[in-house]
Amino acid sequence: MLRVVLYRLLQGLVVILIVSALTFALLAAAGGDALGSLTSDPVVSEATLNALRHTYGLDQPFAVRYWRWLSGVLSGEMGYSLYYHTPVWSIIRTRLFNTLALASLALLIAMTIALALGSLAARRPRGWADKLSSAVVLFASSSPRIVLALIALALVARSPSFAMSNPGSALSSISFIKIFIPAFILSVPLVAIFLAQVRDGLLLSLREEFVQVARAKGLSEREVVLRHALRATLNPLITLFGLSLGSLISGSVIVETVLGWSGLGQLSVVAVQARDVPLLMGVVLITATAVLVGNLVADILLCLNDPRLRNAQKGSIPSSGAAATPLS
């Protein structure tokens, strides 16, 4: 397990370095900076703009600016936001907690629906639960988040206190309904993926020989499903879980922006509009880290769930893409 963690951490550092360099290069190629909006201000002279760009290092070559940013990150600093006029981490900290809470609740909702309805559907093929799960998968997979967010916005438009209009709003001051609505919308695409995986995986597992042996031992159908068949189905579900954490954080832009949820998604939109490179790089860094952490958690859970991975030959590294086959 320790070797897996160390390998993933080393791999993650390389990925983050590549992602940050590419993002910085794309932002530099796009042109403009956070001081570009001042060019239309008659009070601010060209000399003043040049002096400000020199002060903030915006007139330096790409390599120099990237090295300064990377050196700051390595020393524990993410830079200084030119839009908010405050350190980047102080802005991201509260927004990150809000987005993580939103993503965690969305994952919980998706997993709960998928496991409950998928188990019922697999135990009674062609029954009401199976038909309902097919309808849910069809609806969830064909419903864009932006459409659902706009519908939710229309429904709560009469409640002025719904949106987290204050960027520094503490999560403890937010009612459950305010976080449940955006979390539910964020979970809809995941419900389709998780539910289809649980239902199809359980249908295959329930036909396997080890399940028939468990039934022959006199175990109840509930024990057979939960203790044997479901465990054999968890591997691809765990993989999807790890991949979903990063996609939820990066995919929360639409939901957070439409519903006014003060998170990283909404912050990234502000950073792009303001051309605040340090702030946007901070959001990208946190998002990339979340993806890698999600994959690492998935690898650890796979090793805990599947004894074949724990007993793998020395020198092999478990992969989060392991298939769901019967466990010995």
Side-chain angles (χ1 to χ4, degrees):
M1 185 72 70
L2 181 60
R3 291 181 64 251
V4 173
V5 173
L6 293 177
Y7 177 82
R8 293 302 183 197
L9 289 177
L10 179 61
Q11 185 183 56
L13 290 176
V14 176
V15 171
I16 289 178
L17 184 64
I18 295 175
V19 169
S20 64
L22 289 177
T23 304
F24 209 98
L26 290 174
L27 292 175
D33 53 47
L35 302 178
S37 59
L38 298 178
T39 56
S40 59
D41 191 343
V43 179
V44 182
S45 64
E46 186 69 24
T48 302
L49 282 176
N50 293 333
L52 288 174
R53 288 192 173 97
H54 180 74
T55 301
Y56 291 112
L58 300 179
D59 57 345
Q60 298 295 323
F62 160 77
V64 175
R65 287 184 283 121
Y66 176 71
W67 175 248
R68 284 183 177 179
W69 176 83
L70 185 60
S71 301
V73 171
L74 295 177
S75 63
E77 299 178 359
M78 288 188 177
Y80 189 83
S81 172
L82 300 179
Y83 181 78
Y84 289 102
H85 303 289
T86 188
V88 170
W89 174 243
S90 64
I91 306 170
I92 290 180
R93 183 173 50 194
T94 303
R95 307 285 191 119
L96 174 61
F97 185 72
N98 291 340
T99 296
L100 287 178
L102 191 66
S104 300
L105 183 56
L107 279 173
L108 179 62
I109 294 173
M111 281 289 185
T112 301
I113 296 175
L115 291 175
L117 188 55
S119 299
L120 290 174
R123 290 172 60 183
R124 297 177 179 85
R126 299 186 182 88
W128 67 267
D130 193 16
K131 296 177 181 178
L132 178 60
S133 65
S134 298
V136 171
V137 170
L138 179 62
F139 170 79
S141 59
S142 59
S143 300
R145 282 174 177 165
I146 186 171
V147 175
L148 297 176
L150 290 174
I151 293 175
L153 181 62
L155 293 177
V156 301
R158 295 184 179 182
S159 177
S161 60
F162 172 79
M164 292 176 62
S165 56
N166 181 10
S169 299
L171 190 63
S172 58
S173 64
I174 305 303
S175 65
F176 177 74
I177 191 64
K178 291 180 181 179
I179 186 175
F180 180 81
I181 292 178
F184 179 78
I185 294 173
L186 203 59
S187 71
V188 169
L190 296 182
V191 170
I193 300 174
F194 291 169
L195 180 55
Q197 178 59 52
V198 172
R199 183 187 61 183
D200 296 342
L202 274 178
L203 281 173
L204 293 176
S205 296
L206 289 173
R207 299 170 185 168
E208 296 291 340
E209 183 178 352
F210 72 97
V211 172
Q212 304 303 325
V213 173
R215 285 172 175 162
K217 292 180 179 179
L219 298 178
S220 65
E221 189 66 18
R222 182 177 181 181
E223 289 180 310
V224 169
V225 173
L226 296 180
R227 293 179 56 186
H228 297 276
L230 185 58
R231 187 183 177 189
T233 313
L234 283 181
N235 276 10
L237 195 62
I238 291 174
T239 301
L240 292 174
F241 169 82
L243 295 175
S244 298
L245 180 60
S247 65
L248 279 175
I249 295 179
S250 59
S252 63
V253 175
I254 295 176
V255 175
E256 290 184 359
T257 303
V258 173
L259 294 179
W261 183 263
S262 181
L264 289 182
Q266 188 187 67
L267 184 63
S268 64
V269 174
V270 175
V272 170
Q273 292 176 340
R275 295 184 179 272
D276 194 338
V277 174
L279 181 57
L280 187 57
M281 288 298 299
V283 174
V284 170
L285 180 64
I286 293 297
T287 304
T289 303
V291 174
L292 297 172
V293 169
N295 290 333
L296 177 60
V297 171
D299 286 331
I300 295 175
L301 291 178
L302 283 173
C303 290
L304 295 176
N305 179 67
D306 196 334
R308 296 168 303 177
L309 295 179
R310 294 198 302 268
N311 300 327
Q313 293 182 356
K314 184 178 181 181
S316 62
I317 299 296
S319 172
S320 57
T325 52
L327 307 180
S328 57

